[in-house]
Amino acid sequence: MTDLSTRDWLLSAAPTTRRQARLGALYQGWLTFRSNRLAMLGLIILVLLALMAILAPYLAPYSPTAQNLADRLQPPSARHWLGTDALGRDILSRIIWGSRVTLFIVGTVALISPIMGLLIGTIAGFAGGWVDQVLMRITDIFLAFPKLILALALVAALGPGIVNAVLALAITGWPPYARLARAETLAVRNADYIAAARLQGAGPFRLLVGHVWPMCISSMIVRVALDMAGIILSAAGLGFLGLGAQPPLAEWGAMISDGRTYILDHWWVAAMPGLAIFIVSLAFNFLGDGLRDVLDPKGGAE
């Protein structure tokens, strides 16, 4: 088929097969997403971030941990594009290697928290009764504490380190997803297709997995994309306080903490990793806004 006929086939108002309908829906979503220029900008930035993390050994001009006191606190120059820190380490190299830490934290937390929230929220909404009351009161307890304060308490109890920081952020991040999944479940649990599946012999687990969870996925994806910036800032906050990634591992929040002493005279030490956090957080917000337009048209319109 030519490009024009392929486009017409995908945009057909009367698809003849299930495959054509699914591909057409994906293509429609891509067109909607592509029309949002800020969302495309966010996607491009995040793709570049992923490539930077993957190719860090080849892109970084210097070792992220090698110290050279003769070059300490050098301003941005042709030799060190973003300057050096108090130990003479190249800031650009540390930012490039720190992107791996950022993606690890964001990816892990974004995988664990929504899954926990989806399980707890759908079980509470579908079961109802005392199960719903118990699970939602536990959720309320977690929501009663500021997220970062609770994460700090957990990391202090578990010990500093990137793995413990990820666990703390994941454990404290699931309640909003649970609330969202419960609301979606309450909206569909009495639907006709649920009753029809139950009459055909489908058990509670099959109903949850096959019928309830798919209805929650779209809103969960949008919420995760919009929460990415908050996850990055929380991880940077833990690193800033010395409870996240430990030296000599390059981490953007810890780099800002190292540069706060020199912020007046050597601004680039703290400003450059702060700028990296700002750009990536903004990119995730742009991406989340674009995904909301695709997956949640009503929310995007509002």
Side-chain angles (χ1 to χ4, degrees):
M1 289 184 292
T2 64
D3 292 339
L4 180 60
S5 62
T6 301
R7 177 185 173 87
D8 293 340
W9 182 76
L10 290 172
L11 297 179
S12 173
T16 57
T17 64
R18 182 178 299 179
R19 175 173 173 268
Q20 182 182 1
R22 290 177 177 176
L23 292 177
L26 290 175
Y27 187 65
Q28 288 274 16
W30 166 248
L31 292 178
T32 303
F33 183 86
R34 192 178 63 180
S35 65
N36 189 326
R37 295 184 178 180
L38 291 180
M40 288 298 297
L41 176 61
L43 178 61
I44 292 172
I45 292 174
L46 295 176
V47 169
L48 293 177
L49 175 68
L51 292 176
M52 184 172 68
I54 295 171
L55 302 176
Y58 307 101
L59 295 178
Y62 300 93
S63 168
T65 58
Q67 302 178 15
N68 185 2
L69 296 181
D71 286 337
R72 67 187 301 268
L73 298 176
Q74 293 295 313
S77 62
R79 184 180 177 189
H80 299 283
W81 289 3
L82 301 184
T84 61
D85 63 8
L87 297 177
R89 297 173 295 191
D90 183 66
I91 294 178
L92 175 60
S93 300
R94 290 180 61 78
I95 289 178
I96 291 175
W97 280 93
S99 63
R100 289 189 165 189
V101 178
T102 299
L103 286 180
F104 171 75
I105 293 174
V106 170
T108 307
V109 175
L111 182 64
I112 297 176
S113 292
I115 291 177
M116 290 179 59
L118 180 65
L119 289 172
I120 294 173
T122 52
I123 290 174
F126 196 77
W130 67 269
V131 175
D132 184 19
Q133 291 296 322
V134 170
L135 292 178
M136 286 301 101
R137 296 300 76 79
I138 295 175
T139 303
D140 290 339
I141 292 174
F142 276 87
L143 290 173
F145 291 92
K147 182 178 177 180
L148 185 57
I149 300 300
L150 186 57
L152 287 173
L154 290 174
V155 174
L158 297 173
I162 185 172
V163 175
N164 291 339
V166 168
L167 289 176
L169 291 175
I171 292 174
T172 58
W174 64 265
Y177 301 106
R179 282 289 188 184
L180 180 61
R182 177 179 179 270
E184 295 282 352
T185 304
L186 291 175
V188 302
R189 72 173 182 178
N190 294 323
D192 292 340
Y193 70 90
I194 296 289
R198 186 180 287 112
L199 289 174
Q200 292 176 353
F205 180 76
R206 183 178 175 183
L207 291 173
L208 279 176
V209 175
H211 300 281
V212 177
W213 287 3
M215 299 299 297
C216 301
I217 295 299
S218 296
S219 56
M220 297 288 282
I221 291 175
V222 174
R223 180 61 188 260
V224 169
L226 293 173
D227 283 351
M228 289 295 193
I231 295 172
I232 293 176
L233 294 176
S234 298
L238 293 177
F240 182 85
L241 297 174
L243 297 176
Q246 298 300 296
L249 189 64
E251 196 273 327
W252 294 349
M255 292 173 64
I256 296 177
S257 179
D258 293 339
R260 60 181 173 175
T261 307
Y262 315 99
I263 190 66
L264 296 179
D265 299 323
H266 309 285
W267 55 269
W268 58 87
V269 181
M272 295 307 179
L275 182 62
I277 294 174
F278 168 77
I279 292 174
V280 175
S281 300
L282 193 63
F284 273 117
N285 280 329
F286 288 160
L287 179 66
D289 186 62
L291 290 176
R292 182 177 57 188
D293 292 342
V294 175
L295 300 175
D296 187 13
K298 292 183 180 179
E302 293 173 357

